[in-house]
Amino acid sequence: MVKVAIWGSLRSATDGKAEVVVEAGNFKQLLDQLVIEYPGLEPQIKRGVSLALDGKIYRDAWFTKINEDSEVVLMPYMVGG
Amino acid sequence: MALDENGKRIFKVVGTRPARPDGIDKVTGRAMYGADATAPGMLFGQFLRSPHAHAKIKSIDTSAAEALSGVKAVITSKDFGTPEDESVRDVQDNCMAGDKVLYDGHAVAAVAATSAAIAKQALKLIKVDYEVLPHVTDVDAAMQADAPIVQAGRAMDDLPAGMSENVTYHFEFGHGDLEAGFAKADKIVERSFKTAATHQGYIEPHACLAAMNSDGKGELWCCTQGQFYVRELCADIMEMDASQLRVTASEIGGGFGGKTTVFIEPVALALSRKSGRPVKVVMSREEVFRASGPTVSSSTDVKIGMTNDGRITAAHATLRYQGGAFPCGTVQFGAQSAFAAYDLDAVQTIGWSAMTNRPKEAAYRAPGAPMAIYAVESVVDELCQELALDPLEVRLKNAADKGTKSSYGPTFDAIGLKATLEAAVAHPHYAAPLGPNQGRGLSCGFWFNFGGNTSVSMNLNFDGTVGITEGNPDIGGSRASISQMAAEELGIGYEKVRTIVADTNSIGHNDVTDGSRVTFAVGLATIKAARDAIQKMCARVAKIWDIDEDAVYWEDGYAKPSGPNAGTFEPMSLEEIAAISAETGGPIAGHHEVNADGAGVSFGVHLVDIEVDPETGATTVLRYTVFQDAGKAIHPDYVEGQMQGGAVQGIGWALNEEYIYGEDGRLQNPGLLDYRIPVASDLPNIDTVILEIPNPGHPYGVRGVGETPIVPPLAAISNAVSRATGLRLSELPMSPPRVLKALNAKG
């Protein structure tokens, strides 16, 4: 099981929870599981999200392995200028 | 790809300052920019643009224009389809208005003719019947429930009661108990700030040459930060396969984020398809201002609590950004970055985004961060003034560090903020005396940085030189830094390597040159490509020596036997291996394709001295020093150039630059005389101090450097003005009339 931190404005889709726990071994499984368990997150996940794993930010990295004790933070998709 | 274990390696090429490979072409005028391309039979494309901020298009009559001799094609939105993807639809609608014009300058039609003069004449013959609608250009006004609706049906889900349909996004970040945090504070300051929309101010206007052939294949030459993204957008809009559209990026005369999308390219392609001829389009400076993509403008409320000894106990910010006439998510980056420099137990940021009747926002260095951090750093500075605390010591006391839970969620790995603050404390600038009407200000800055999709090819030539093909337009010296990293890894001289930027059909996909990603991600892919080539060279040498491949290793540009058991052989140089590559199995190449992660966030601190003329309100920048963690600086000249360029653009944003709209919703200053960017005579030399805290996510420790330096100047200068005048201005730019008005009000 992996703990995932959810940013504030998405918490309406997680029953107000700032952190949710899902069964996942990598980012793809995590995103799929989030959509199944919290369908309200789907529009944002479809628009794009980044994931921070132990402080390192990833975009589109489905097969990145997640350990049970990893810090996982859902973040908006990063862009730059 | 992690930092090499031998992180303390002594570099031979990396860290040196070779001459820039594009220098001669640029100073002699030989460099080929967007407007420099021509083709046989080429037509000239021009746009008809809306004179209204908001209006319904009742009809467009193009018949007279089409009848004019020399006119080969006239197009309107009816010549385009309806892309499935909403964001692509927005791009298309921004390039050519549908049933409504959404801002002053919005394109309504375009003409291709045999000369620019005929095209211009034809535009005058197009009759557009408008029904003018109420408009809104201010973000706070646009969020009110009774505001004119810019686009119906685009409001965010769960729109709160009392807000306009113009509100499209809402973001919240933070952690901890704000109420408890503020209760611990000895002093709380709460202020509101506004910043104007600014333009990236690139010198080269948007330009392209498009050629659609009758067989459905297309060629597009354009100035862009990302030829692959241009291809993606244009292929979607033109309803063609990506493989059939080849996009070549020209040399680029500045982008800074403003050339990460398209404004004219799909229209030029559509004109070419309709006319059967190549079509060239070059925006005028006025068009660049009215119809390309400036920054958001912002309105922000900040509340921070602090103890008497300078510890921040709680922090809150509400940010409201407008990004023009289409949904724009940039506020999320402001909301995430606002308090990133601080280690806080209780912090919350709330971001709202609203549509207005202005041009569609485009990225500008660290999009969304400068205006958020301006507001936060202004309040931190005011608290320091109120509590008589040293502003650098307060920032050091509260600085984020390795292990800090950031205000946007993740826990920081190794970061360089404290090192930059300590460098500023120790620098002579901080202790230098100041004269009358002078003040010193400072601010922290932050940007995320990222990597992204990257493809690099490396080819060994028979003469022992090396060609590198990559796919990111060089906006900040990347061809030099890529060549340096290749030379370093291969163990050969910099002059033996040449790096070129390829078109979309000559290399695999590369994301846009943005996010300070290129030196990090393309550098990483180049190092991996070099290691791939080295492995192949060692295999060839193993065959020559008739020993196992793993008995050969690479050192300082030579393949060598790994030890006495491998046998005694004279090391072979890259040049020797390349010279006989035809005989040993054919050409040797290395390549690498990756979606790179681990870019590592970046922090900077800026220190500035200014003088305010009490009679005119004009602010002169006297001295400026930039401190920034660059990870490993590959080519220090370019790193310093990024730091200086960002500082100068931030100075312009702080003091003079702004989009000014009239009551009629029309842009009042679409030109460089009335939109005043800083020129050399306005500026002192910008001093730089590069800190090199290696990024653990890159083999050489590289971090992106291009965006962070535009973040601190806004607050640094505002804080300096405050200390010079005793006034806390809350709106940018601090142009002379605005400062003078505040001085007169103070008396």
Side-chain angles (χ1 to χ4, degrees):
Chain A
M1 300 297 276
V2 178
K3 272 193 282 190
V4 189
I6 305 293
W7 78 76
S9 39
L10 284 187
R11 290 175 197 163
S12 58
T14 58
D15 308 321
K17 285 184 275 192
E19 210 167 62
V20 298
V21 179
V22 293
E23 182 74 49
N26 64 33
F27 281 172
K28 174 76 165 67
Q29 292 166 0
L30 186 144
L31 295 177
D32 289 347
Q33 207 55 36
L34 284 175
V35 168
I36 290 167
E37 295 186 30
Y38 302 98
L41 293 176
E42 187 172 11
Q44 179 64 47
I45 289 174
K46 275 190 171 170
R47 274 199 296 273
V49 290
S50 304
L51 282 158
L53 179 66
D54 295 324
K56 186 173 165 183
I57 300 170
Y58 294 81
R59 302 191 310 173
D60 308 318
W62 278 3
F63 307 119
T64 305
K65 192 173 178 304
I66 307 173
N67 296 319
E68 288 210 346
D69 57 349
S70 292
E71 178 198 69
V72 183
V73 181
L74 196 66
M75 294 174 64
Y77 193 77
M78 286 288 134
V79 300
Chain B
M1 191 176 181
L3 183 69
D4 280 352
E5 283 178 12
N6 56 347
K8 290 182 180 172
R9 72 186 280 174
I10 297 170
F11 292 105
K12 292 178 178 168
V13 184
V14 163
T16 64
R17 301 171 187 250
R20 53 191 299 164
D22 52 338
I24 297 287
D25 279 354
K26 284 182 174 169
V27 299
T28 57
R30 283 205 300 263
M32 291 281 289
Y33 290 94
D36 290 328
T38 58
M42 184 178 83
L43 302 174
F44 297 84
Q46 298 233 348
F47 284 68
L48 182 67
R49 298 188 178 279
S50 167
H52 305 294
H54 194 194
K56 187 176 175 189
I57 299 173
K58 294 168 73 179
S59 65
I60 304 178
D61 180 357
T62 59
S63 55
E66 283 163 331
L68 183 68
S69 176
V71 170
K72 301 299 179 185
V74 181
I75 61 168
T76 66
S77 64
K78 291 189 170 50
D79 291 273
F80 293 95
T82 307
E84 198 176 318
D85 184 283
E86 189 175 66
S87 64
V88 178
R89 226 163 37 236
D90 282 351
V91 171
Q92 177 179 302
D93 290 347
N94 189 44
C95 291
M96 186 63 70
D99 58 353
K100 282 208 307 182
V101 290
L102 301 172
Y103 57 89
D104 168 42
H106 200 170
V108 292
V111 170
T114 51
S115 75
I118 294 172
K120 199 171 181 179
Q121 194 184 345
L123 294 181
K124 292 177 183 167
L125 298 175
I126 297 173
K127 296 185 185 74
V128 185
D129 188 10
Y130 293 105
E131 178 189 331
V132 176
L133 301 170
H135 65 270
V136 60
T137 56
D138 176 77
V139 63
D140 291 319
M143 288 178 66
Q144 300 300 313
D146 59 352
I149 304 302
V150 177
Q151 289 198 62
R154 304 302 297 272
M156 59 177 280
D157 299 334
D158 305 324
L159 182 72
M163 278 198 183
S164 163
E165 275 185 61
N166 292 324
V167 176
T168 53
Y169 287 112
H170 167 229
F171 295 94
E172 278 186 41
F173 301 93
H175 57 259
D177 185 340
L178 278 182
E179 199 178 331
F182 281 118
K184 289 180 198 162
D186 296 310
K187 182 85 185 169
I188 295 172
V189 168
E190 196 168 0
R191 293 279 177 268
S192 296
F193 299 88
K194 292 196 101 161
T195 65
T198 57
H199 196 272
Q200 299 85 354
Y202 36 80
I203 299 305
E204 182 200 18
H206 297 267
C208 70
L209 174 61
M212 285 297 297
N213 299 330
S214 53
D215 61 2
K217 294 185 175 66
E219 297 280 339
L220 179 64
W221 162 276
C222 60
C223 64
T224 176
Q225 290 176 237
Q227 64 271 42
F228 290 88
Y229 187 51
V230 168
R231 179 180 69 170
E232 196 177 306
L233 287 171
C234 290
D236 272 4
I237 292 170
M238 296 294 288
E239 297 172 319
M240 59 192 291
D241 293 339
S243 62
Q244 300 308 305
L245 178 61
R246 183 170 72 149
V247 182
T248 305
S250 71
E251 203 62 70
I252 188 167
F256 313 110
K259 290 177 181 168
T260 55
T261 184
V262 296
F263 302 103
I264 55 174
E265 292 81 357
V267 177
L269 284 164
L271 284 168
S272 177
R273 182 163 59 187
K274 196 163 187 179
S275 65
R277 306 256 293 261
V279 176
K280 180 174 177 173
V281 174
V282 181
M283 267 186 161
S284 67
R285 180 64 60 188
E286 180 178 328
E287 286 181 296
V288 169
F289 275 105
R290 291 173 69 205
S292 67
T295 65
V296 300
S297 62
S298 72
S299 170
T300 301
D301 310 321
V302 175
K303 179 181 177 184
I304 299 176
M306 191 178 276
T307 59
N308 285 330
D309 65 351
R311 179 69 199 164
I312 297 174
T313 60
H316 177 269
T318 299
L319 304 96
R320 297 168 293 273
Y321 288 6
Q322 70 74 31
F326 297 86
C328 165
T330 297
V331 73
Q332 65 194 299
F333 305 113
Q336 288 179 96
S337 57
F339 293 103
Y342 295 107
D343 181 0
L344 302 171
D345 291 334
V347 57
Q348 184 187 40
T349 52
I350 299 173
W352 299 97
S353 184
M355 295 183 292
T356 61
N357 294 112
R358 292 183 181 226
K360 187 177 192 298
E361 179 252 16
Y364 184 16
R365 281 182 132 149
M371 46 292 262
I373 289 176
Y374 153 68
V376 167
E377 288 290 275
S378 296
V379 173
V380 170
D381 198 63
E382 186 171 340
L383 281 160
C384 293
Q385 288 169 298
E386 295 273 337
L387 296 170
L389 298 168
D390 180 277
L392 267 177
E393 284 179 16
V394 166
R395 284 171 174 84
L396 263 170
K397 181 171 277 188
N398 294 282
D401 205 352
K402 183 175 182 174
T404 295
K405 182 177 170 59
S406 69
S407 56
Y408 57 92
T411 301
F412 284 128
D413 197 341
I415 54 173
L417 176 59
K418 281 193 171 170
T420 56
L421 287 163
E422 283 160 359
V425 170
H427 197 278
H429 183 166
Y430 197 53
L434 291 166
N437 301 315
Q438 295 179 2
R440 175 167 300 137
L442 66 96
S443 171
C444 297
F446 163 84
W447 186 245
F448 302 94
N449 301 327
F450 57 77
N453 293 292
T454 307
S455 306
V456 168
S457 247
M458 174 181 288
N459 292 291
L460 272 59
N461 303 315
F462 289 151
D463 66 354
T465 59
V466 174
I468 296 175
T469 307
E470 52 118 339
N472 278 95
D474 178 355
I475 63 173
S478 54
R479 280 168 293 193
S481 61
I482 299 311
S483 293
Q484 283 180 276
M485 284 185 265
E488 185 74 48
E489 199 62 30
L490 294 169
I492 61 176
Y494 168 80
E495 70 285 352
K496 298 284 187 189
V497 185
R498 183 175 181 188
T499 299
I500 64 144
V501 178
D503 65 67
T504 52
N505 284 45
S506 302
I507 183 113
H509 179 92
N510 284 269
D511 285 346
V512 174
T513 297
D514 67 356
S516 302
R517 73 174 215 91
V518 173
T519 307
F520 167 78
V522 183
L524 185 151
T526 299
I527 291 166
K528 289 284 276 187
R531 290 177 184 177
D532 184 34
I534 285 169
Q535 193 177 14
K536 289 169 182 167
M537 285 191 284
C538 287
R540 298 288 176 93
V541 171
K543 281 185 181 172
I544 294 167
W545 291 342
D546 197 19
I547 61 175
D548 290 341
E549 284 182 24
D550 58 8
V552 182
Y553 76 104
W554 192 261
E555 185 180 62
D556 291 336
Y558 286 84
K560 298 177 180 176
S562 57
N565 292 340
T568 306
F569 302 100
E570 275 297 306
M572 288 187 72
S573 69
L574 183 150
E575 193 173 338
E576 290 168 320
I577 298 165
I580 55 169
S581 57
E583 288 81 9
T584 61
I588 298 172
H591 65 98
H592 191 68
E593 296 78 33
V594 65
N595 186 357
D597 288 302
V601 300
S602 163
F603 287 93
V605 174
H606 289 202
L607 201 53
V608 60
D609 297 350
I610 59 90
E611 181 170 329
V612 176
D613 184 335
E615 292 186 4
T616 64
T619 300
T620 304
V621 179
L622 303 171
R623 184 173 182 179
Y624 204 107
T625 310
V626 179
F627 306 83
Q628 189 173 322
D629 168 21
K632 180 64 194 170
I634 301 298
H635 192 308
D637 277 356
Y638 282 118
V639 173
E640 289 162 3
Q642 291 287 343
M643 291 158 71
Q644 291 165 328
V648 169
Q649 288 183 308
I651 289 168
W653 201 335
L655 292 178
N656 280 301
E657 297 182 36
E658 63 178 319
Y659 266 51
I660 300 170
Y661 281 90
E663 289 295 316
D664 58 0
R666 302 199 65 189
L667 184 61
Q668 303 295 296
N669 57 338
L672 290 172
L673 283 176
D674 296 322
Y675 179 98
R676 196 173 181 286
I677 62 175
V679 296
S681 56
D682 294 322
L683 299 162
N685 183 45
I686 309 290
D687 291 326
T688 55
V689 177
I690 301 173
L691 285 296
E692 292 188 308
I693 292 93
N695 170 19
H698 186 278
Y700 292 174
V702 169
R703 286 179 202 274
V705 295
E707 295 179 276
T708 298
I710 201 171
V711 178
L714 285 61
I717 293 172
S718 184
N719 294 340
V721 168
S722 172
R723 287 165 189 272
T725 62
L727 294 165
R728 174 62 59 182
L729 273 74
S730 58
E731 191 168 354
L732 298 185
M734 295 174 292
S735 53
R738 198 168 273 152
V739 173
L740 192 60
K741 188 176 171 189
L743 286 170
N744 289 340
K746 181 189 169 198

